[in-house]
Amino acid sequence: MALREAVVNAFVNNDYTKELAPKFELFDNRLEITSNGGLPDGLSKDEFFEGFSIPRNKELMRIFKDLDLVEQLGSGIPRILQVYNKDVFQFSDNFLRIVLPASESSASHGTEQVTEQVTEQGAEQVTEQVLTLIRVMDNEKYSRLELMQLVGIKHRPTFLYNYLQPSIEAGFVALSIPDKPTSGNQKYYLTEKGKAYNRL
């Protein structure tokens, strides 16, 4: 039940203006579900946990309700919290991630340990695509098109999903206009963490 609610929540609250779908990553000890856009404007973390909802995609919400995948607006998060505690949720300005331990029965006891593992492993797990992107960057700021040309990728969704988004999530790349992620003037640059990794 909690897993279903987490999946539905990722789809109905994903910000599709970024042309990215929610990401589902299965590891040996956890499932990570990442949706784009962070919390909707006007919704605090406390309100989020209490079940208040501002779905970004109301039509998707209606479809899920017609399929009996959603009982009522705002019921998903409280249902997840019946099984897991609040530590499974990770918030940022541009993303919302839910990290579900492999065993629901141990969720309420092992969340802190899982969170530590995610933090430690996240620093170590760098994909080839992320490495390719940060290796072509120096101290300048780049547009998305410039970065695509540097890594030799023409398909925008592939670049966004496999290169740019994971680099931002890992803390290697940052946005020049973080409060307006879809701005036409958006540029991307290496963070200090990205520069340090490049020196390894």
Side-chain angles (χ1 to χ4, degrees):
M1 179 67 72
L3 174 59
R4 186 187 72 180
E5 297 291 351
V7 171
V8 170
N9 181 75
F11 278 107
V12 300
N13 289 302
N14 190 70
D15 184 358
Y16 291 98
T17 62
K18 299 181 180 181
E19 302 183 9
L20 293 171
K23 182 167 65 174
F24 301 86
E25 298 175 284
L26 182 61
F27 299 89
D28 290 340
N29 63 341
R30 69 193 186 279
L31 170 66
E32 295 186 5
I33 303 175
T34 305
S35 54
N36 303 284
L39 288 177
D41 291 339
L43 187 68
S44 69
K45 288 183 182 179
D46 288 339
E47 291 169 335
F48 173 83
F49 287 128
E50 289 173 11
F52 293 98
S53 180
I54 307 177
R56 285 192 173 93
N57 306 288
K58 295 181 180 179
E59 187 63 21
L60 270 180
M61 189 74 176
R62 183 191 65 78
I63 293 172
F64 282 129
K65 186 171 177 57
D66 289 344
L67 294 172
D68 292 328
L69 294 175
V70 176
E71 291 190 6
Q72 63 184 27
L73 186 65
S75 64
I77 301 305
R79 287 179 181 274
I80 295 173
L81 293 177
Q82 289 176 1
V83 180
Y84 301 98
N85 63 40
K86 296 179 181 179
D87 290 342
V88 301
F89 292 91
Q90 299 176 2
F91 301 90
S92 73
D93 291 339
N94 299 309
F95 303 99
L96 170 60
R97 174 174 290 163
I98 305 177
V99 181
L100 302 180
S103 173
E104 291 192 2
S105 62
S106 63
S108 59
H109 302 289
T111 304
E112 291 183 2
Q113 180 180 357
V114 170
T115 303
E116 291 175 359
Q117 291 174 346
V118 170
T119 302
E120 294 172 358
Q121 293 175 7
E124 299 171 358
Q125 294 176 348
V126 179
T127 66
E128 181 180 347
Q129 291 91 337
V130 168
L131 186 59
T132 297
L133 178 60
I134 64 176
R135 290 296 192 221
V136 300
M137 300 176 70
D138 50 32
N139 293 325
E140 298 181 18
K141 293 182 179 180
Y142 305 86
S143 68
R144 174 184 49 78
L145 182 58
E146 288 172 334
L147 290 175
M148 289 177 64
Q149 292 173 341
L150 285 172
V151 299
I153 297 294
K154 296 182 179 180
H155 189 244
R156 183 166 64 175
T158 296
F159 174 75
L160 293 174
Y161 188 79
N162 294 326
Y163 291 79
L164 187 57
Q165 180 179 338
S167 299
I168 294 172
E169 291 179 357
F172 294 133
V173 174
L175 288 70
S176 62
I177 315 175
D179 56 332
K180 296 181 179 179
T182 59
S183 170
N185 296 319
Q186 189 67 257
K187 299 281 188 177
Y188 304 91
Y189 62 92
L190 277 180
T191 63
E192 291 303 317
K193 180 179 178 181
K195 294 175 183 178
Y197 199 91
N198 263 347
R199 291 194 291 267
L200 294 178

